[in-house]
Amino acid sequence: MMMSSSQRHAYGYGDALYWDARYLADGSASFDWYQRYSALRPFVRKYVPVSARVLMVGCGNAVLSEDMVKDGYIDIMNIDISSIVIDMMRTKYVHIPQLRYMQMDVRDMSFFDDESFDCVFDKGTLDSLMCGMDAQLSASQMLEEVNRLLRPGGIYMLITYGDPSVRIPHLNQPGCNWKIILYIIPRPGFQSPGGDSRPRSIMEPVPLTESGQLPAGFVLEDPDSHYIYVCKKMH
């Protein structure tokens, strides 16, 4: 029996029941949170070689992984807390050996060995946990696991609506040692009102202060921008 929307809202974003109900309601439709691959491609190609072993956390029913394979990536493991969407995606992509799918909770990825991935890609999954029950603990558990799974020098690419004041403290939790480069991109379809004679290139990293915050007086071109944290795991 399908859950009503009010029943779905009774569960948190970190709860498999919420996502199972959502994906059953969505059917076979695909949905990419925040940005499509076409917008993210310059960043992905800059930091992630096509030969990299990639882990896509919270893959959902997005076509991001499919688009990456079309662009030459050869090894993408996709995980999601929802067994419903994993079954859907496994069936959809049965003919694409570069894509594999497993049901898994990002807070416990003990199935995978330490340092077994070159890149962990996260588009909205940390954000989802931050909106759920026990947000602080869930975020800490997820980031601890991401750090464990990355080889030294590996990249955690986080696409989020969270600005540095609310994301850097989590990224810099004890046990994690990242070199962080920040990019900011406007939401899809954003039209600049104009007036800036030298618009900033989206491929120009945004400087951060010593404490990991945006510089005083920094103004977002789009107030609803998305933030891309390129986090390199240091030794």
Side-chain angles (χ1 to χ4, degrees):
M1 188 174 73
M2 197 172 295
M3 264 185 239
S4 70
S5 59
S6 61
Q7 285 175 301
R8 288 202 304 272
H9 289 311
Y11 297 97
Y13 281 142
D15 195 310
L17 287 172
Y18 170 87
W19 293 105
D20 283 348
R22 178 170 180 146
Y23 290 123
L24 280 170
D26 287 351
S28 60
S30 63
F31 179 75
D32 268 276
W33 292 84
Y34 302 162
Q35 302 280 343
R36 300 295 296 267
Y37 182 63
S38 55
L40 299 173
R41 183 179 187 271
F43 306 98
V44 178
R45 293 306 296 257
K46 182 177 175 70
Y47 291 103
V48 185
V50 292
S51 60
R53 186 167 190 231
V54 176
L55 176 64
M56 187 73 66
V57 293
C59 63
N61 55 16
V63 296
L64 176 64
S65 295
E66 175 189 349
D67 288 342
M68 287 179 67
V69 168
K70 288 176 180 174
D71 200 25
Y73 287 87
I74 60 173
D75 186 356
I76 306 178
M77 171 61 76
N78 301 269
I79 67 167
D80 200 281
I81 198 170
S82 168
S83 59
I84 298 292
V85 82
I86 288 297
D87 287 345
M88 288 176 176
M89 298 299 272
R90 196 178 276 148
T91 300
K92 181 178 180 180
Y93 293 119
V94 66
H95 61 291
I96 301 183
Q98 299 94 326
L99 296 177
R100 287 170 294 152
Y101 288 85
M102 287 188 68
Q103 189 277 333
M104 197 175 294
D105 188 328
V106 292
R107 293 165 290 195
D108 177 10
M109 298 185 281
S110 52
F111 177 86
F112 299 124
D113 293 335
D114 295 359
E115 300 181 4
S116 54
F117 290 95
D118 302 303
C119 174
V120 176
F121 206 95
D122 171 7
K123 187 155 65 82
T125 299
L126 181 63
D127 289 0
S128 166
L129 291 181
M130 294 297 293
C131 294
M133 303 285 286
D134 298 319
Q136 304 295 322
L137 176 61
S138 290
S140 176
Q141 290 171 329
M142 173 184 167
L143 291 169
E144 187 177 325
E145 281 289 79
V146 167
N147 181 65
R148 180 183 69 80
L149 293 181
L150 278 173
R151 64 167 180 79
I155 297 292
Y156 172 44
M157 190 170 289
L158 168 64
I159 294 93
T160 170
Y161 61 74
D163 69 43
S165 70
V166 294
R167 290 295 176 266
I168 293 287
H170 289 288
L171 291 169
N172 285 338
Q173 70 183 33
C176 294
N177 183 19
W178 308 107
K179 178 184 178 183
I180 300 174
I181 301 174
L182 173 66
Y183 298 92
I184 300 178
I185 59 175
R187 65 188 185 277
F190 173 75
Q191 296 293 321
S192 172
D196 187 349
S197 58
R198 263 195 84 253
R200 184 182 58 82
S201 165
I202 62 165
M203 293 304 296
E204 187 181 322
V206 176
L208 292 171
T209 66
E210 279 190 22
S211 61
Q213 301 305 308
L214 292 172
F218 185 87
V219 177
L220 292 171
E221 183 184 13
D222 172 12
D224 296 316
S225 290
H226 294 131
Y227 298 82
I228 301 175
Y229 297 85
V230 179
C231 309
K232 182 178 181 179
K233 180 179 175 178
M234 308 305 286
H235 289 274

